[in-house]
Amino acid sequence: MSQKEEKALRVFEALNGVDEELLLRSEKKAEKKPAKIFRFRTVGRVAAACLGFLVAGGVFLAVQNSQMKSTTPMAEGIRFSAMENQNGRAEITEYDSADMAVRLETDEEAVPEGMKRDGADGITQNQTVESCLEAEVMELTPEQAKAEKLGAYLPEYLPAGYVFEDARLYLDAVTGESTELYECWSKGYDDIRIWVSRASVDEIAFVDVKNTASYDVYAYEIPYEDSVPGEYYEAFFHPVFRASDMTRELIGKRMKSVKDAGDTTTPRGNFAVWFEEGILWEFNGSADPRDVWAMLESACEASKNHIE
Amino acid sequence: MKDSEIIELYFQRDERAISETQASYGKYCYSIAYHILHTNEDSDECVNDTYLRAWNSIPPNRPNHLSLFLGAITRNLSIDMWKRKNASKRGNGEMSVALDELAECIPDARSMEDIVETKELSRLINDFLHTLKEKDCNVFLRRYWYSEEYREIADRYQMNMNSVKTSLFRTRQRLKEFLEQEGVVI
């Protein structure tokens, strides 16, 4: 064990003294959120509402200003003094005219009719952008998953007997762009899980397909942790292949039937495939390798049509 | 059976305490061991040793949370076994990956005399964890206390994988800065 690993192990061991409350807190699973839709159009509505307030406020100020100009001498006009508060932020601390008090609260009258939204699918006026940004994941139906842009890479072909389990869409909290799509199907104790995500080429360490020793599950005994050489660890446990390298035989080398107590003997395995348009297609599950190949072929079909 | 009832069995030296512990927390302990050791046999051995340790330490101890009490024992035993079996090897399993990641938190060494004691290191890390946002703290603990894989953490907290990786990366950087500020040498 290297000195660095020994030191890391000290940190790892020191974690045993973590407060129980923190560990208990980490036990909680996040509740599956219902589709709390966060789309650009949603943020757009919030932004439009904010813009509306600003425009309405600007118009209001301009009208008031012009009214004062016509009725009040300049010397008695508006006198603002901006002072730095303790946080260094400028604040309006004085104003001569009570009419000039700008209310920051939502003013029902000031909001254009078209921007008032309320109810389940709308944006309430008190809803903040932050509350929208909390949304990170959406539960989807199979149809919704397929309709997503990344859904083009979900398999058209599904092996006999497998049924839909769940699907989720992960969203970038800032842009609202979909970043990852997940779908799972199961058949008894067997399941197939597919992830489709965006990934640029510089994020990926590709497996050298010629070096079968780095990824062939038949070359090693279980537990793999004891039999696979350390230098192959990443390639063996989390291999990413280029789409152009994929063959039915290669998938066969990643899937193996294992006799475990309490589990099925259906071949199981995992691998990921990267498409040049920046799409990563990940498989993890148990199925006949021929079926997995057929599933991948439909993703290849989507790749030919190249989604943006 | 409730925790308090199981603990009462331990205090009465009733051997049903073991079977009830196994029924309630066997899977939980096994999961902790397996995430570190990645073999069924070794994990089973650690879990069985956990029951024995619990039997020997309750009483006098009366845990507030039996699950965490057992989990900590299992984790310690699993780390010890991992050290025995892997001291001479490199790159074995998820545990090695987790350790490689944790190595990023280690401040640059100064003199050997300054090396912080494990108890003090534990206290400092605890203090640090309390400064984190709840989500970042949870993710960190699932990765480095429970040795869970990114995917499991992402599933637990309904996050995507990149968010998990980013959260861990930032927390490791912060931990390193924190330990450096505290003048810690590991």
Side-chain angles (χ1 to χ4, degrees):
Chain A
M1 196 186 298
S2 71
Q3 202 181 17
K4 205 163 192 186
E5 199 170 32
E6 275 178 23
K7 289 178 176 183
L9 193 56
R10 281 202 70 206
V11 177
F12 194 81
E13 287 180 296
L15 278 166
N16 247 20
V18 167
D19 283 348
E20 288 190 342
E21 59 176 289
L22 297 181
L23 289 170
L24 281 176
R25 196 174 67 178
S26 79
E27 290 285 325
K28 282 186 219 155
K29 288 187 176 180
E31 284 178 23
K32 287 186 176 179
K33 296 175 192 168
K36 189 178 176 182
I37 295 176
F38 170 81
R39 291 281 192 231
F40 186 75
R41 64 173 182 270
T42 308
V43 176
R45 284 203 292 256
V46 175
C50 293
L51 189 64
F53 292 140
L54 286 175
V55 170
V59 169
F60 177 74
L61 284 173
V63 169
Q64 289 290 322
N65 200 9
S66 66
Q67 282 174 352
M68 281 186 200
K69 272 181 186 171
S70 61
T71 58
T72 319
M74 280 296 278
E76 295 173 14
I78 311 150
R79 179 167 57 87
F80 286 107
S81 76
M83 288 176 64
E84 293 281 306
N85 69 5
Q86 284 181 334
N87 297 323
R89 285 166 52 190
E91 269 188 346
I92 296 170
T93 54
E94 290 180 40
Y95 46 87
D96 280 348
S97 169
D99 290 336
M100 287 298 292
V102 178
R103 291 168 56 197
L104 294 177
E105 299 87 22
T106 303
D107 187 337
E108 284 287 334
E109 300 305 316
V111 183
E113 191 57 37
M115 287 183 188
K116 286 182 192 170
R117 300 281 303 190
D118 214 340
D121 97 311
I123 301 294
T124 62
Q125 288 155 15
N126 292 327
Q127 192 168 2
T128 62
V129 175
E130 281 78 7
S131 70
C132 292
L133 296 183
E134 282 173 13
E136 234 182 356
V137 61
M138 291 166 61
E139 293 287 328
L140 303 179
T141 64
E143 294 74 25
Q144 288 171 325
K146 199 68 195 161
E148 284 294 322
K149 276 187 181 177
L150 294 173
Y153 289 84
L154 289 174
E156 294 288 346
Y157 172 83
L158 198 61
Y162 283 80
V163 292
F164 173 78
E165 192 76 31
D166 63 339
R168 292 195 288 270
L169 179 69
Y170 295 90
L171 304 160
D172 185 300
V174 177
T175 64
E177 289 269 316
S178 54
T179 56
E180 188 174 73
L181 181 63
Y182 160 84
E183 190 160 352
C184 175
W185 303 265
S186 64
K187 177 186 172 186
Y189 288 114
D190 293 326
D191 62 16
I192 292 172
R193 284 167 286 163
I194 303 271
W195 291 266
V196 182
S197 59
R198 297 177 198 279
S200 64
V201 68
D202 49 338
E203 294 173 42
I204 294 166
F206 291 104
V207 172
D208 175 6
V209 285
K210 287 176 190 158
N211 185 8
T212 53
S214 68
Y215 62 87
D216 184 358
V217 291
Y218 288 89
Y220 303 101
E221 294 294 320
I222 292 174
Y224 295 130
E225 284 77 15
D226 289 339
S227 58
V228 176
E231 73 255 37
Y232 293 152
Y233 178 82
E234 188 60 31
F236 189 85
F237 289 102
H238 309 289
V240 183
F241 301 99
R242 290 178 189 278
S244 52
D245 288 334
M246 291 311 291
T247 61
R248 192 178 299 178
E249 291 69 33
L250 195 156
I251 290 177
K253 289 185 191 304
R254 287 299 305 168
M255 304 205 55
K256 191 174 180 179
S257 176
V258 180
K259 282 185 182 170
D260 273 348
D263 212 340
T264 68
T265 54
T266 311
R268 64 179 90 150
N270 75 306
F271 61 90
V273 180
W274 186 78
F275 294 96
E276 283 187 349
E277 58 271 26
I279 296 291
L280 190 66
W281 191 93
E282 295 172 77
F283 168 88
N284 194 327
S286 32
D288 188 306
R290 287 167 296 190
D291 286 328
V292 179
W293 170 249
M295 293 174 83
L296 177 60
E297 276 187 316
S298 53
C300 294
E301 200 57 42
S303 179
K304 283 178 197 163
N305 299 327
H306 186 156
I307 65 164
E308 289 299 330
Chain B
M1 189 178 271
K2 286 179 185 171
D3 279 8
S4 56
E5 293 169 334
I6 298 175
I7 290 169
E8 213 42 57
L9 289 174
Y10 277 104
F11 271 83
Q12 291 163 6
R13 311 313 289 158
D14 186 333
E15 288 182 7
R16 279 182 301 152
I18 303 289
S19 55
E20 291 297 337
T21 301
Q22 187 173 17
S24 295
Y25 297 112
K27 280 184 183 171
Y28 173 75
C29 293
Y30 181 87
S31 167
I32 292 172
Y34 190 82
H35 275 101
I36 293 171
L37 298 164
H38 283 272
T39 76
N40 296 330
E41 285 171 17
D42 292 345
S43 304
D44 281 336
E45 193 180 324
C46 279
V47 173
N48 287 329
D49 287 350
T50 300
Y51 301 145
L52 185 64
R53 287 268 182 107
W55 179 258
N56 289 334
S57 60
I58 312 174
N61 290 310
R62 187 180 283 274
N64 290 328
H65 300 286
L66 187 57
S67 61
L68 297 179
F69 180 80
L70 296 166
I73 296 174
T74 308
R75 187 172 186 269
N76 269 332
L77 290 169
S78 303
I79 293 171
D80 287 345
M81 182 174 282
W82 185 89
K83 281 197 279 193
R84 282 203 303 278
K85 298 215 163 186
N86 295 276
S88 57
K89 299 180 191 172
R90 276 286 301 137
N92 285 302
E94 198 67 23
M95 176 73 174
S96 280
V97 179
L99 289 181
D100 280 347
E101 290 169 5
L102 273 181
E104 293 172 21
C105 311
I106 296 164
D108 294 331
R110 286 181 293 187
S111 76
M112 292 300 282
E113 290 121 47
D114 296 333
I115 289 178
V116 66
E117 286 184 15
T118 303
K119 215 170 186 180
E120 176 63 1
L121 181 60
S122 212
R123 185 190 66 76
L124 287 168
I125 291 176
N126 215 18
D127 288 349
F128 167 75
L129 291 174
H130 279 282
T131 67
L132 295 176
K133 285 181 187 169
E134 180 175 339
K135 202 174 201 178
D136 291 331
C137 180
N138 288 346
V139 169
F140 188 85
L141 288 175
R142 297 316 298 187
R143 178 68 179 151
Y144 302 117
W145 203 96
Y146 292 93
S147 312
E148 288 182 351
E149 294 187 22
Y150 297 143
R151 183 64 70 195
E152 293 174 274
I153 301 168
D155 284 348
R156 171 178 289 275
Y157 297 126
Q158 300 279 301
M159 298 165 73
N160 71 33
M161 285 258 285
N162 284 337
S163 301
V164 172
K165 287 179 187 173
T166 307
S167 166
L168 286 170
F169 177 76
R170 287 182 184 153
T171 306
R172 288 197 302 268
Q173 294 299 109
R174 282 186 200 142
L175 178 56
K176 185 179 180 184
E177 287 166 18
F178 179 85
L179 293 176
E180 278 172 349
Q181 277 171 11
E182 296 291 328
V184 170
V185 176
I186 296 169

